[in-house]
Amino acid sequence: ALHPSSPWARAFTSLQAAPRPPSLTPSRPLPFRRGRGRKMAWQPDQTRLNQVGELLQACSDPSQHDRHVQALQMLDAGKREMPDFGCYMLLVFCKMPEAPMQLRQLAGLELKNTIRLQHHKMDPNVLTFVRQSIIDVLGAEERRSRMIAAQIITTLLSIVTLDAWPELIPGIIAKLDAQGTGGSQGAMAAMILVCEDHNNALCSQQHADTLAAILAKLMAQMQSSDAEFRAGAIRCVKHFILRLPNALVVNLPAFLNGLLALHKDASPEVRKEMCQSLCLLVEVKADFLADPQICQFVIEFLLWTTEHDSDYDVKKEACEFWSSLCENEEVASDVLKPYLSRLTLVLLNGMVYSEDELINLADEVDASAPDKASEINPSAFHVKSKHHVADDEEEDEDDEEGGGVEWTLRKCSAAGLDVIANHYRDDILEALLPHIHTKLTDPDWRVIESAVLAMGALAVGCEEGLIQRNYLPSFVTHLLQHMLSSEMPLVRSITSWTLSRYSRWIAHQTNPADGQHSLLPPLVEGFLKGMLDSSKKVQEAACSAMATLEEEAGSLLVPHVAQILQVFSAALPRYQARNLVILYDACGTLADSLGPELGKKEHVDVLLPPLMQKWQSLADDDRSLFPLLECLASVVQALGQGFTPSAPPVFQRCERLIAMGLHRQQAGELDAHDNDFIVCPLDLISSLAEGMGSSIESLVGQSQLVPSLMICCQHPDPAVRQSAFALVGDLAKTSLPHLRPHLGQIMALTQGNITPEHVSVCNNATWAVGELAVRIGGEMDCVIPGLLPPLIQLINRTALNKSLLENSAIAVGRFGLVCPQLVSQHLTSFVQPWCKILSFIRDDVEKEHAFRGLVKMAMINPQGLLDSFDCVCMSLNSWNVQVMPPDLHKELCDMLAWFKVNLEQANQWAGIYGRVPIEVQGALQQHYNLTA
């Protein structure tokens, strides 16, 4: 029972004494079916209402902890167990104005969450009750209540759809007309959420009229005297720009004119929405710039705004426009040429650190300050398995200058200059370089830092122009001699980043007098010194720069390996979590770049002990393991047999991690898509197999790895299957006896994954079955009939991923090698695209197997090659015969000679061989003794 003096009791008493709200009176009943044909109006049960009130009161008062927790639990149980729980929440939220505001708003939030999470258990009539009542709450006195009502509307619309709620949009539009009232403000909040969350539905043809009505109302609201409504209207329309429905295309001139008319709007929020809309428009519908007057107006407005606007966020949004404009290939390539000298200077001036940024970076500068929790997320750095196959349209992400997570005007300006430099290249240097040169000697260190940042932004697009102007030698020398040793940590940091952007050019500069590398030694020394800096920010930049240099310089770093490893070894125990992840990446990149060079004992003794100490210090459930596992995967391959002493404990722990991850997922303790605990150990064992070869077989034989691997090959997450099939292929090469008992299951699982739906999975499964085929030989005859058709389908889809096509072609060639009788029957269905794919594969053992398969199939079914004999000849011409095994060369020569003799006897040689290009005929005569 409620205490008589409680606010809730007074509110409930008031509700009982007052006339019953219309929605709860028999005149407007809410029908609940009770048996066939019988209806009754919903009425609140007073006891339950009292309980709900007490629970809400306890939930809103955390001062009494035990009571608060118990109330939250009971409220959660009510959501699940009371079919009309939402009605009680709506009653409190909408129909009890005398109740404390805090309780009413809590009830509204609980109603929203109940609809979102429990709607499938709710009586449909409850949702009807909510629909009938919630629009009125948009006019509540309290702004917070109006916002909650808008959230409830968009949540409910995700469930009942626009078709089932035809009165919603007209109701919101009607309330928008009552400007200056709480109802119009609530309606605008609801309209913003509806346009943002449900623009897919609104853009459909069936709701074209509804969207047209919405846009007409929003265009009118853009002229409102209230800035909140002007900004809200633009924001709503903005959500439809990327989809460009016909209703917007028709209204686009009006929308654009309305936008441009607001260019002097006093409200920063309006100007920000205006800049964002222009950025989106130039991405998808840039033809509005074809009008010279509009184009000039837009560019001048955004240029002025980027430089002079009084609001920081507005300047930042305006600055985004320049990247969007240059990245749209449909925009005239020279549209910014008249403005380049002004624009690049504006961007250069925008790269200076603000006071707020410097305050936020204070902890990053101090190496003794602990990492923030938001910075410690090792799993965020585990992006892809090492066996990931990039889609053809994927591009490597460019390295970014650091400086905190937040996207700032400084970063936006640098990104804009980077894009402009890539687009206009040398055209920007004449006007910009003098300004940069002046800023490099400015007394304000922040201005110097911005100039160094600008030079880094120019690196990709303008490097050739800088080389032609002979600007880089003196500039790089200045950075190495003065900037890397600056007193200001942020100058040292940005200098490392900028130098890394020119690292390829620097690495290959030699002294004309003695041919020695003139800039590489001081660059290495500078980066290594920065890695041990007292500033975390400098450590991060120098370590990232070192990883970039490792990729660009490669074997040129061999003379510096000992020095590099000494610094890595010193940094491993002193780095905090975030920089430790970057250091792991640098270690792995060095191993990838130098390979067996790291396997020398003197290098192993320096690098391995601190890495293994980190390995041993981390618990099995510590996510900091992920980047370390990735690092070790590269190191193991480079060290090869040098890793042997550490292999058993690493292998055993990886096996344990895989089993633990699978068990935790099956028990529901780990999300089915949280798979780093499985993927990373799988990849590391693959690296052990690649690096140590058959030495790993005894470890596999003493473990339960293979049964776990079979489970991984069936995992619902493609990332796990991708790494699992890669490991199957590696074990086929090193530990085949332990896979043999499972071959039937492996082949069935492989066949099920030879589909390009998941490119990386398909690629690895295809590669793995090829590795198995070449080792188990004729035993493949019972599975090839099932595996060959999907592989032939892949080969004939020539637009697929290059790696997938190559592995499919190799697998088919290996099938032909071990079971030529079966595969040769299908030659005509794949030989032409197959030969074209083989022509672009590097000359190695896999290509060798495929061509040995070709010879065997040709002996059985020579007729299958005749229609594509020109493709066969061109694929033979792709070989460098100097690296071809002599016996394979003889087999191919004999095959060509056999075809010539037999086709000449049938008077077909001249016609068939005449289709082979003349230059290929000459090469075949030279390399295979084949005459025309």
Coordinates of all heavy atoms in Angstrom, one line a residue, residues 119-166:
H119 N 7.9 -5.8 -27.5 CA 6.8 -5.5 -28.3 C 6.2 -6.8 -28.9 O 5.0 -6.9 -29.1 CB 7.1 -4.6 -29.5 CG 8.1 -5.2 -30.5 ND1 7.8 -6.0 -31.5 CD2 9.5 -5.1 -30.5 CE1 8.9 -6.4 -32.2 NE2 9.9 -5.8 -31.6
H120 N 7.0 -7.9 -29.1 CA 6.5 -9.1 -29.6 C 5.6 -9.9 -28.5 O 4.9 -10.8 -28.9 CB 7.7 -10.0 -30.0 CG 8.7 -10.3 -28.9 ND1 9.6 -9.3 -28.5 CD2 8.9 -11.4 -28.1 CE1 10.3 -9.8 -27.5 NE2 10.0 -11.0 -27.3
K121 N 5.8 -9.5 -27.3 CA 5.0 -10.1 -26.2 C 3.7 -9.2 -25.8 O 2.9 -9.7 -25.0 CB 5.8 -10.3 -25.0 CG 7.0 -11.3 -25.2 CD 7.7 -11.5 -23.9 CE 8.9 -12.4 -24.0 NZ 9.7 -12.6 -22.8
M122 N 3.7 -8.0 -26.4 CA 2.6 -7.1 -26.0 C 1.3 -7.4 -26.7 O 1.4 -7.7 -27.9 CB 3.1 -5.7 -26.2 CG 4.2 -5.3 -25.3 SD 4.9 -3.6 -25.7 CE 3.5 -2.6 -25.2
D123 N 0.2 -7.2 -26.0 CA -1.1 -7.3 -26.7 C -1.2 -6.2 -27.8 O -0.9 -5.1 -27.5 CB -2.2 -7.2 -25.7 CG -3.6 -7.5 -26.3 OD1 -3.9 -6.9 -27.3 OD2 -4.3 -8.3 -25.7
P124 N -1.5 -6.5 -29.0 CA -1.6 -5.5 -30.1 C -2.5 -4.3 -29.6 O -2.3 -3.2 -30.1 CB -2.2 -6.2 -31.2 CG -1.9 -7.7 -31.0 CD -1.9 -7.9 -29.5
N125 N -3.5 -4.6 -28.8 CA -4.4 -3.5 -28.4 C -3.6 -2.5 -27.5 O -4.0 -1.3 -27.4 CB -5.6 -4.0 -27.6 CG -6.5 -4.8 -28.5 OD1 -7.0 -4.3 -29.5 ND2 -6.6 -6.1 -28.3
V126 N -2.6 -2.9 -26.8 CA -1.8 -2.0 -26.0 C -1.1 -1.0 -26.9 O -1.0 0.2 -26.6 CB -0.8 -2.8 -25.1 CG1 0.2 -1.8 -24.4 CG2 -1.5 -3.7 -24.1
L127 N -0.5 -1.6 -28.0 CA 0.2 -0.7 -29.0 C -0.8 0.3 -29.6 O -0.5 1.4 -29.8 CB 0.9 -1.5 -30.0 CG 2.0 -2.5 -29.6 CD1 2.5 -3.3 -30.7 CD2 3.1 -1.7 -28.9
T128 N -2.1 -0.2 -29.8 CA -3.1 0.7 -30.3 C -3.4 1.9 -29.3 O -3.5 3.0 -29.7 CB -4.4 -0.1 -30.6 OG1 -4.1 -1.1 -31.5 CG2 -5.5 0.9 -31.1
F129 N -3.4 1.5 -28.0 CA -3.7 2.5 -26.9 C -2.5 3.5 -27.0 O -2.8 4.7 -26.9 CB -3.7 1.7 -25.6 CG -4.0 2.6 -24.4 CD1 -4.7 3.8 -24.6 CD2 -3.6 2.1 -23.2 CE1 -5.0 4.5 -23.4 CE2 -3.9 2.9 -22.0 CZ -4.6 4.1 -22.2
V130 N -1.3 3.1 -27.2 CA -0.2 4.0 -27.2 C -0.3 4.9 -28.4 O -0.1 6.1 -28.3 CB 1.2 3.2 -27.2 CG1 2.3 4.2 -27.4 CG2 1.3 2.4 -26.0
R131 N -0.6 4.4 -29.6 CA -0.7 5.2 -30.8 C -1.8 6.2 -30.6 O -1.6 7.4 -31.1 CB -1.1 4.3 -32.0 CG 0.0 3.4 -32.5 CD -0.1 3.0 -33.9 NE -1.5 2.6 -34.3 CZ -1.9 1.3 -34.3 NH1 -1.1 0.4 -33.8 NH2 -3.1 1.0 -34.6
Q132 N -2.9 5.9 -30.0 CA -4.0 6.8 -29.8 C -3.7 8.0 -28.9 O -4.3 9.1 -29.0 CB -5.3 6.1 -29.3 CG -5.9 5.1 -30.3 CD -7.0 4.3 -29.7 OE1 -7.1 4.2 -28.5 NE2 -7.7 3.7 -30.6
S133 N -2.7 7.8 -28.0 CA -2.5 8.8 -27.0 C -1.2 9.6 -27.1 O -1.1 10.7 -26.6 CB -2.5 8.0 -25.6 OG -3.6 7.3 -25.4
I134 N -0.2 9.0 -27.8 CA 1.2 9.5 -27.6 C 1.3 10.9 -28.4 O 2.1 11.7 -28.0 CB 2.2 8.5 -28.1 CG1 3.6 8.9 -27.6 CG2 2.2 8.3 -29.6 CD1 3.8 9.0 -26.2
I135 N 0.6 11.1 -29.5 CA 0.8 12.3 -30.3 C 0.4 13.5 -29.4 O 1.1 14.6 -29.5 CB -0.1 12.2 -31.6 CG1 0.4 11.1 -32.5 CG2 0.0 13.6 -32.3 CD1 -0.4 11.0 -33.8
D136 N -0.6 13.4 -28.6 CA -1.0 14.5 -27.7 C 0.1 14.9 -26.8 O 0.2 16.1 -26.4 CB -2.2 14.1 -26.9 CG -3.5 14.0 -27.8 OD1 -3.4 14.6 -28.9 OD2 -4.4 13.4 -27.4
V137 N 1.0 14.0 -26.4 CA 2.0 14.3 -25.4 C 3.1 15.2 -26.1 O 3.9 15.7 -25.4 CB 2.7 13.0 -24.8 CG1 3.5 13.3 -23.6 CG2 1.6 12.0 -24.4
L138 N 3.1 15.2 -27.4 CA 4.1 16.1 -28.0 C 3.9 17.6 -27.6 O 4.8 18.4 -27.8 CB 4.0 16.0 -29.6 CG 4.4 14.7 -30.2 CD1 4.1 14.7 -31.7 CD2 5.9 14.5 -29.9
G139 N 2.7 17.9 -27.1 CA 2.4 19.2 -26.6 C 2.6 19.4 -25.1 O 2.1 20.4 -24.5
A140 N 3.2 18.5 -24.4 CA 3.5 18.6 -23.0 C 4.2 19.9 -22.6 O 5.0 20.4 -23.4 CB 4.2 17.4 -22.5
E141 N 4.0 20.3 -21.4 CA 4.7 21.6 -21.0 C 6.2 21.4 -20.9 O 6.9 22.3 -21.2 CB 4.1 22.0 -19.6 CG 2.6 22.4 -19.7 CD 2.2 23.0 -18.3 OE1 3.0 23.1 -17.4 OE2 1.0 23.2 -18.2
E142 N 6.6 20.3 -20.4 CA 8.1 20.1 -20.2 C 8.7 19.6 -21.5 O 8.3 18.7 -22.1 CB 8.3 19.1 -19.1 CG 7.6 19.3 -17.8 CD 6.2 18.6 -17.8 OE1 5.9 17.9 -18.7 OE2 5.5 18.9 -16.8
R143 N 9.8 20.3 -21.8 CA 10.5 19.9 -23.0 C 11.0 18.5 -23.0 O 10.9 17.7 -24.0 CB 11.8 20.8 -23.2 CG 12.6 20.5 -24.4 CD 13.8 21.5 -24.5 NE 14.6 21.2 -25.7 CZ 14.4 21.6 -26.9 NH1 13.3 22.5 -27.1 NH2 15.1 21.3 -28.0
R144 N 11.5 18.0 -21.8 CA 12.0 16.6 -21.7 C 10.9 15.6 -22.0 O 11.1 14.6 -22.7 CB 12.5 16.4 -20.3 CG 12.9 15.0 -20.0 CD 14.1 14.6 -20.8 NE 14.7 13.3 -20.3 CZ 15.3 12.5 -21.1 NH1 15.6 12.8 -22.3 NH2 15.8 11.3 -20.6
S145 N 9.6 15.9 -21.6 CA 8.5 15.0 -21.9 C 8.2 15.0 -23.4 O 7.9 13.9 -23.9 CB 7.3 15.4 -21.1 OG 7.5 15.3 -19.7
R146 N 8.3 16.1 -24.0 CA 8.1 16.2 -25.5 C 9.1 15.4 -26.2 O 8.8 14.6 -27.2 CB 8.1 17.6 -26.0 CG 7.0 18.5 -25.4 CD 6.9 19.8 -26.1 NE 8.0 20.7 -26.1 CZ 8.2 21.7 -25.2 NH1 7.3 21.9 -24.3 NH2 9.3 22.4 -25.2
M147 N 10.4 15.4 -25.7 CA 11.4 14.7 -26.4 C 11.2 13.1 -26.2 O 11.4 12.3 -27.1 CB 12.8 15.1 -25.8 CG 13.2 16.5 -26.1 SD 13.2 17.0 -27.8 CE 11.7 18.0 -27.9
I148 N 10.8 12.8 -25.0 CA 10.5 11.4 -24.8 C 9.3 10.9 -25.6 O 9.4 9.8 -26.2 CB 10.2 11.1 -23.3 CG1 11.5 11.4 -22.4 CG2 9.7 9.7 -23.0 CD1 11.2 11.4 -20.9
A149 N 8.3 11.7 -25.8 CA 7.2 11.3 -26.6 C 7.7 11.1 -28.1 O 7.2 10.2 -28.7 CB 6.1 12.4 -26.6
A150 N 8.5 12.0 -28.5 CA 9.1 11.8 -29.9 C 9.9 10.5 -30.0 O 9.8 9.8 -31.1 CB 10.0 13.0 -30.2
Q151 N 10.6 10.2 -29.0 CA 11.4 8.9 -29.0 C 10.4 7.7 -29.0 O 10.7 6.7 -29.7 CB 12.3 8.8 -27.8 CG 13.4 9.8 -27.9 CD 14.2 9.9 -26.5 OE1 14.1 9.0 -25.7 NE2 15.0 11.0 -26.4
I152 N 9.3 7.8 -28.3 CA 8.4 6.7 -28.3 C 7.7 6.5 -29.7 O 7.5 5.4 -30.2 CB 7.3 7.0 -27.2 CG1 7.9 6.9 -25.8 CG2 6.1 6.0 -27.4 CD1 6.9 7.3 -24.7
I153 N 7.5 7.7 -30.3 CA 6.8 7.6 -31.6 C 7.8 6.9 -32.6 O 7.3 6.0 -33.4 CB 6.5 9.0 -32.1 CG1 5.3 9.6 -31.4 CG2 6.2 9.1 -33.6 CD1 5.0 11.0 -31.6
T154 N 9.0 7.3 -32.7 CA 9.9 6.7 -33.7 C 10.2 5.2 -33.3 O 10.3 4.4 -34.2 CB 11.2 7.4 -33.8 OG1 12.0 6.9 -34.9 CG2 12.1 7.3 -32.5
T155 N 10.2 4.9 -32.0 CA 10.4 3.5 -31.6 C 9.1 2.6 -32.1 O 9.3 1.5 -32.6 CB 10.6 3.4 -30.1 OG1 11.7 4.1 -29.7 CG2 10.8 1.9 -29.7
L156 N 8.0 3.2 -31.8 CA 6.7 2.5 -32.2 C 6.6 2.3 -33.7 O 6.1 1.3 -34.2 CB 5.5 3.2 -31.6 CG 4.2 2.6 -31.7 CD1 4.2 1.2 -31.1 CD2 3.1 3.4 -31.0
L157 N 7.1 3.3 -34.4 CA 6.9 3.3 -35.9 C 7.8 2.2 -36.5 O 7.5 1.7 -37.6 CB 7.3 4.7 -36.4 CG 7.0 4.9 -37.9 CD1 5.5 4.7 -38.2 CD2 7.4 6.3 -38.3
S158 N 8.9 1.8 -35.8 CA 9.7 0.7 -36.3 C 8.9 -0.6 -36.2 O 9.3 -1.6 -36.9 CB 11.0 0.6 -35.4 OG 11.7 1.8 -35.5
I159 N 7.9 -0.7 -35.4 CA 7.1 -1.9 -35.2 C 5.8 -1.9 -36.0 O 5.5 -2.9 -36.7 CB 6.9 -2.1 -33.7 CG1 8.2 -2.2 -33.0 CG2 6.0 -3.3 -33.5 CD1 8.1 -1.9 -31.5
V160 N 5.1 -0.8 -36.0 CA 3.7 -0.9 -36.6 C 3.7 -0.4 -38.0 O 2.7 -0.6 -38.7 CB 2.8 0.0 -35.7 CG1 2.7 -0.6 -34.3 CG2 3.2 1.5 -35.7
T161 N 4.8 0.3 -38.5 CA 4.9 0.8 -39.8 C 4.0 2.0 -40.1 O 2.9 2.2 -39.5 CB 4.7 -0.3 -40.9 OG1 3.3 -0.6 -41.0 CG2 5.5 -1.5 -40.6
L162 N 4.3 2.7 -41.1 CA 3.5 3.9 -41.5 C 2.1 3.5 -42.0 O 1.1 4.2 -41.8 CB 4.2 4.7 -42.6 CG 5.4 5.5 -42.2 CD1 6.2 6.0 -43.5 CD2 4.9 6.8 -41.5
D163 N 2.0 2.4 -42.7 CA 0.7 1.9 -43.2 C -0.3 1.7 -42.1 O -1.5 2.0 -42.2 CB 0.9 0.6 -44.0 CG 1.6 0.9 -45.3 OD1 1.5 2.0 -45.9 OD2 2.4 0.0 -45.7
A164 N 0.2 1.2 -41.0 CA -0.7 0.9 -39.8 C -0.9 2.1 -38.9 O -1.7 2.0 -38.0 CB -0.1 -0.3 -39.0
W165 N -0.3 3.2 -39.2 CA -0.5 4.4 -38.4 C -0.7 5.6 -39.3 O 0.1 6.5 -39.3 CB 0.8 4.6 -37.5 CG 0.6 5.4 -36.3 CD1 -0.5 6.2 -36.0 CD2 1.6 5.7 -35.3 NE1 -0.3 6.8 -34.8 CE2 1.0 6.6 -34.4 CE3 2.9 5.3 -35.1 CZ2 1.7 7.0 -33.2 CZ3 3.6 5.7 -34.0 CH2 3.0 6.5 -33.1
P166 N -1.7 5.6 -40.1 CA -1.9 6.6 -41.1 C -2.1 8.0 -40.5 O -1.9 9.0 -41.2 CB -3.2 6.2 -41.9 CG -3.9 5.3 -40.9 CD -2.8 4.6 -40.1

